Amino acid sequence: MHIDNSLRLDFKDVLIRPKRSTLNSRSDVDITRDFRFLHSPHSYHGVPIIAANMDTTGTFEMAKALDPLLLSTALDKHYSEDELIGFFSGLRRKSAAFYTMGIGSEDWEKFLRVREKAPEAVEYVCVDVANGYTERFVSFIKKLREKCPDIVLMAGNVVTGDMTEELLLAGADIVKIGIGPGSVCLTRKMTGIGYPQLSATIECADAAHGLGGRICADGGCTTPGDIVKAFGAGADFVMIGGMLAAHDECRGKTVVKDGVAYRQFYGMSSEQAMNRWSGGVAGYRASEGKEVFLPSRGPVAATVQEILGGLRSACTYVGARRLKELTLRTTFVRVAQQLNEVFGKS
Ligand code: 5GP
């Protein structure tokens, strides 16, 4: 047994100190980024925020709504081959959508069939598992990179620098960071496993950038300010689920209670997801996600404008003319416990 006494922080534990700025208006701020990748020859241009590959948020409708705003969507892995081929073949901005898969043999074969039928269509791929620390996962990433040298490959999830490096060396371009911070995730409660998301982002970004890799901070953002903190901590991309849930573009049941419409949102390891996709919770495992009903929020574009407004405003507060400069201009100040309680989750 070992106790690591170093301080690890979450979004709620910090604020960003304002800095002298020459920017006069939020409209002066450029929140797009241009990236080259460690392995893939493709280059990226866009607003590096990605809708989570959950079956509620990773929909074609979400991707169509976010594309004109230059955001991306990691698609739910349960779409059929034909649906995916049709969708990707019609996609002009390739980074608007990630093809998502797990590491089962059926995932591999389905991906190969899609690639064969539509060779140029899929450029961005997300390989997503709850625990990115297994040898099997690393071998899968190596195999995929060997088979497809051109794709932009995002892989995760992990929370430490050593594993971020290992995945990059195995063939990932972007490593997805986050175990346990998700809004409908129960992993920390069910297993005691996790890592505070701000520190995970800082440590993994440092490890990745040293190798020329990228990271995507995934989960735990509940406000635009949390997304700003994730970018300030060094994230190249930020993935969000709950903040985009319950919009018109999402899947999920709608219920009306006392005249108010609520939309269903659930974790991908929840009983609801397992009932839907795997014929129930297997006898040897427990659900690590929960179901919530959130007030319906209408079209997602309005929420995204709010998020991007917060991001632009934060850049003006610290004098960052471009999102790229935000990390350099970020000084986090720790928030005392008392303030933390007053600010709640902000
Ligand atoms: P959010 O933005 O809602 O805080 O977090 C979204 C992220 O939570 C997803 O991208 C995914 O990494 C994670 N997630 C989604 N469903 C589950 C689940 O059922 N269990 C766990 N442990 N994590 C989940």
Side-chain angles (χ1 to χ4, degrees):
M1 196 276 289
H2 172 72
I3 298 182
D4 179 350
N5 277 314
S6 329
L7 184 72
R8 300 296 196 292
L9 299 168
D10 243 316
F11 297 129
K12 68 177 181 357
D13 300 321
V14 298
L15 289 168
I16 298 173
R17 198 180 74 193
K19 289 209 167 111
R20 191 175 169 281
S21 169
T22 52
L23 293 166
N24 296 320
S25 157
R26 289 165 201 196
S27 60
D28 294 340
V29 176
D30 178 5
I31 52 167
T32 62
R33 297 244 17 211
D34 292 280
F35 291 128
R36 295 198 162 278
F37 297 104
L38 183 57
H39 302 282
S40 171
H42 297 303
S43 49
Y44 165 93
H45 173 77
V47 176
I49 297 177
I50 307 173
N53 51 284
M54 302 166 76
D55 63 0
T56 43
T57 55
T59 63
F60 291 154
E61 293 73 20
M62 182 67 76
K64 283 177 198 152
L66 298 188
D67 184 13
L69 303 168
L70 299 186
L71 279 70
S72 307
T73 301
L75 294 170
D76 165 35
K77 70 174 184 179
H78 299 97
Y79 279 115
S80 74
E81 264 167 66
D82 288 344
E83 287 173 317
L84 287 164
I85 290 168
F87 179 81
F88 276 102
S89 302
L91 203 61
R92 281 207 356 226
R93 193 174 64 93
K94 297 295 181 195
S95 60
F98 286 73
Y99 177 105
T100 303
M101 65 172 143
I103 59 170
S105 52
E106 65 291 355
D107 293 302
W108 176 249
E109 279 149 28
K110 178 176 163 188
F111 178 67
L112 293 185
R113 285 194 298 271
V114 170
R115 285 278 292 191
E116 200 180 320
K117 288 187 196 154
E120 305 292 314
V122 178
E123 261 179 31
Y124 285 71
V125 176
C126 167
V127 183
D128 182 61
V129 292
N131 173 11
Y133 282 77
T134 63
E135 274 180 24
R136 186 169 161 236
F137 182 58
V138 178
S139 308
F140 188 91
I141 298 304
K142 279 187 189 149
K143 181 169 79 166
L144 183 54
R145 175 54 73 199
E146 272 164 29
K147 182 82 188 165
C148 309
D150 61 308
I151 56 169
V152 177
L153 173 48
M154 178 159 71
N157 283 20
V158 298
V159 285
T160 49
D162 55 346
M163 209 57 202
T164 300
E165 287 170 358
E166 183 158 352
L167 288 171
L168 289 169
L169 295 173
D173 293 299
I174 309 166
V175 179
K176 204 147 70 76
I177 308 301
I179 294 188
S183 56
V184 282
C185 162
L186 291 178
T187 295
R188 290 178 183 175
K189 280 196 175 140
M190 292 301 292
T191 67
I193 305 289
Y195 208 96
Q197 184 68 355
L198 183 84
S199 289
T201 304
I202 293 170
E203 291 167 27
C204 296
D206 190 42
H209 295 162
L211 287 178
R214 307 280 170 198
I215 66 152
C216 173
D218 173 20
C221 292
T222 57
T223 60
D226 290 342
I227 296 176
V228 173
K229 290 173 191 177
F231 283 124
D236 302 291
F237 296 85
V238 177
M239 179 173 274
I240 51 177
M243 287 184 72
L244 298 180
H247 288 94
D248 294 350
E249 294 79 1
C250 296
R251 284 209 207 99
K253 278 186 261 177
T254 301
V255 296
V256 178
K257 203 174 157 198
D258 300 330
V260 181
Y262 294 85
R263 295 289 296 266
Q264 184 192 32
F265 177 55
Y266 51 81
M268 292 311 290
S269 304
S270 65
E271 194 182 326
Q272 288 71 23
M274 286 193 265
N275 284 342
R276 179 161 190 187
W277 303 112
S278 320
V281 183
Y284 60 88
R285 62 180 293 181
S287 100
E288 286 180 29
K290 65 180 176 185
E291 176 191 46
V292 292
F293 281 84
L294 305 169
S296 278
R297 300 165 73 192
V300 76
T303 300
V304 172
Q305 291 304 354
E306 211 175 280
I307 293 172
L308 303 188
L311 190 51
R312 281 197 192 91
S313 180
C315 288
T316 62
Y317 270 112
V318 297
R321 191 168 290 277
R322 297 184 297 159
L323 180 57
K324 185 181 179 187
E325 296 163 17
L326 182 59
T327 314
L328 270 177
R329 310 276 308 173
T330 292
T331 302
F332 287 118
V333 288
R334 278 183 57 205
V335 179
Q337 193 55 38
Q338 231 179 343
L339 270 181
N340 210 331
E341 276 155 21
V342 173
F343 283 119
K345 288 179 153 196
S346 68

